[in-house]
Amino acid sequence: MTENIQGLVIGSSAEFSKQITPENIATFAEITGDTQPLHTDPTFGIKTRFKKPIAHGMIGAGIISAAIGVNLAPGKVVVYLGQNMQFRAPVYPGDTITAVVEVTELDIERNRVSLSTKVNNQEGTEVIRGDALVMVEELQEDS
Amino acid sequence: MTENIQGLVIGSSAEFSKQITPENIATFAEITGDTQPLHTDPTFGIKTRFKKPIAHGMIGAGIISAAIGVNLAPGKVVVYLGQNMQFRAPVYPGDTITAVVEVTELDIERNRVSLSTKVNNQEGTEVIRGDALVMVEELQEDS
């Protein structure tokens, strides 16, 4: 049998897409406290290189987290151990972004899975590039 | 004059603290689509090594983003270029976490600032360790 962790082998992949609305950005600012006006205030945004507000980078990171947490190994316990990211292009309110994650390495002994992680916008522009490390486990039996 | 970018010198630092409520976690799941039950369902959480739900790692990342975006250089434009993170311990609903960021390097020519980034919980346990790269700029004049 091919080496795997909870069915994941090298090359296994998952995706997650979501439109990022202005309301999502406002709510993210509230939850995290990151109220930098670059993300929420059009009169501030217009005075930046972007000419309008941009989404928080960490919202895009959340879409990677969704691809990994929801679609990579449904029903299993997926615990984030690490994420490295380069934010390569802005995400604007209204953009639909898609995270694609792919297994690059397995550490069978410790149930650890390494992944490449990319996020593109609806035009195919890469907005985030990086890699992740997660632990994937079975649910424990009732004790 | 000491080398600086918008007043930031090596050693400049900022903090941001926030309590993470169960409502914050539920709303984060909605915004990002990361509805993995590990974060929201106590009957799932109890069957994991944590014995209860844990916050999304990316909420802690959002607190780093708040320290950088709100408190590091107020009134300036702070654009995230990169973030590397190790998630070292779980954040539970109700925990109050504090991000501390400190300038470690300046790239004067490109307005780029490197930072060490740490997040602790209310007991002083380090929950996230990593580093960030941001661009810090002045607001542009009205054109």
Side-chain angles (χ1 to χ4, degrees):
Chain A
M1 184 182 170
T2 312
E3 281 210 329
N4 77 89
I5 294 176
Q6 302 295 334
L8 296 173
V9 298
I10 290 174
S12 294
S13 65
E15 284 193 30
F16 192 86
S17 285
K18 193 167 180 304
Q19 188 179 31
I20 310 305
T21 66
E23 294 70 35
N24 292 158
I25 295 170
T27 308
F28 186 88
E30 235 173 78
I31 294 176
T32 60
D34 186 354
T35 56
Q36 185 186 177
L38 171 62
H39 305 301
T40 50
D41 180 355
T43 66
F44 187 97
I46 203 169
K47 294 183 191 168
T48 70
R49 63 172 62 229
F50 307 109
K51 302 300 174 200
K52 52 183 173 177
I54 63 172
H56 303 79
M58 289 306 170
I59 296 183
I63 305 304
I64 299 174
S65 181
I68 292 175
V70 175
N71 288 342
L72 184 69
K76 307 298 179 188
V77 186
V78 183
V79 181
Y80 237 132
L81 299 178
Q83 176 74 54
N84 298 326
M85 286 176 289
Q86 295 166 34
F87 301 106
R88 298 173 61 81
V91 174
Y92 295 105
D95 280 1
T96 296
I97 57 176
T98 301
V100 181
V101 304
E102 184 176 330
V103 175
T104 56
E105 220 180 308
L106 298 173
D107 175 350
I108 302 281
E109 234 165 74
R110 300 197 292 169
N111 287 331
R112 292 182 176 199
V113 176
S114 301
L115 302 133
S116 65
T117 58
K118 288 179 186 183
V119 183
N120 290 333
N121 68 14
Q122 67 278 357
E123 282 154 8
T125 303
E126 188 174 72
V127 297
I128 304 179
R129 179 188 299 177
D131 54 81
L133 179 67
V134 298
M135 186 168 54
V136 184
E137 297 183 315
E138 196 107 49
L139 272 182
Q140 298 168 5
E141 293 304 311
D142 288 315
S143 52
Chain B
M1 187 182 167
T2 311
E3 282 209 327
N4 77 88
I5 294 177
Q6 302 297 332
L8 295 173
V9 298
I10 290 174
S12 294
S13 67
E15 286 192 29
F16 192 86
S17 286
K18 194 169 178 307
Q19 187 179 32
I20 309 305
T21 66
E23 294 71 33
N24 292 159
I25 296 170
T27 308
F28 186 88
E30 234 175 76
I31 294 176
T32 60
D34 186 354
T35 57
Q36 185 186 178
L38 171 62
H39 304 301
T40 49
D41 180 355
T43 66
F44 188 97
I46 204 170
K47 294 183 190 167
T48 70
R49 62 173 62 229
F50 306 109
K51 302 301 174 200
K52 52 183 174 177
I54 63 172
H56 304 77
M58 288 305 171
I59 296 184
I63 305 303
I64 298 173
S65 181
I68 292 175
V70 176
N71 288 342
L72 185 68
K76 307 299 178 188
V77 186
V78 183
V79 180
Y80 236 133
L81 299 178
Q83 176 75 53
N84 298 327
M85 286 176 288
Q86 296 166 35
F87 301 105
R88 299 175 60 81
V91 173
Y92 296 106
D95 280 0
T96 295
I97 57 176
T98 301
V100 180
V101 304
E102 184 176 331
V103 175
T104 56
E105 221 179 307
L106 300 173
D107 175 348
I108 302 282
E109 235 165 74
R110 300 198 291 169
N111 286 332
R112 291 183 177 199
V113 177
S114 301
L115 301 133
S116 66
T117 58
K118 289 180 185 183
V119 182
N120 290 333
N121 68 14
Q122 68 278 357
E123 283 154 7
T125 303
E126 187 174 73
V127 296
I128 305 179
R129 179 189 298 179
D131 54 82
L133 179 66
V134 299
M135 187 169 53
V136 184
E137 296 183 316
E138 196 109 49
L139 271 182
Q140 298 169 5
E141 293 304 311
D142 289 315
S143 53

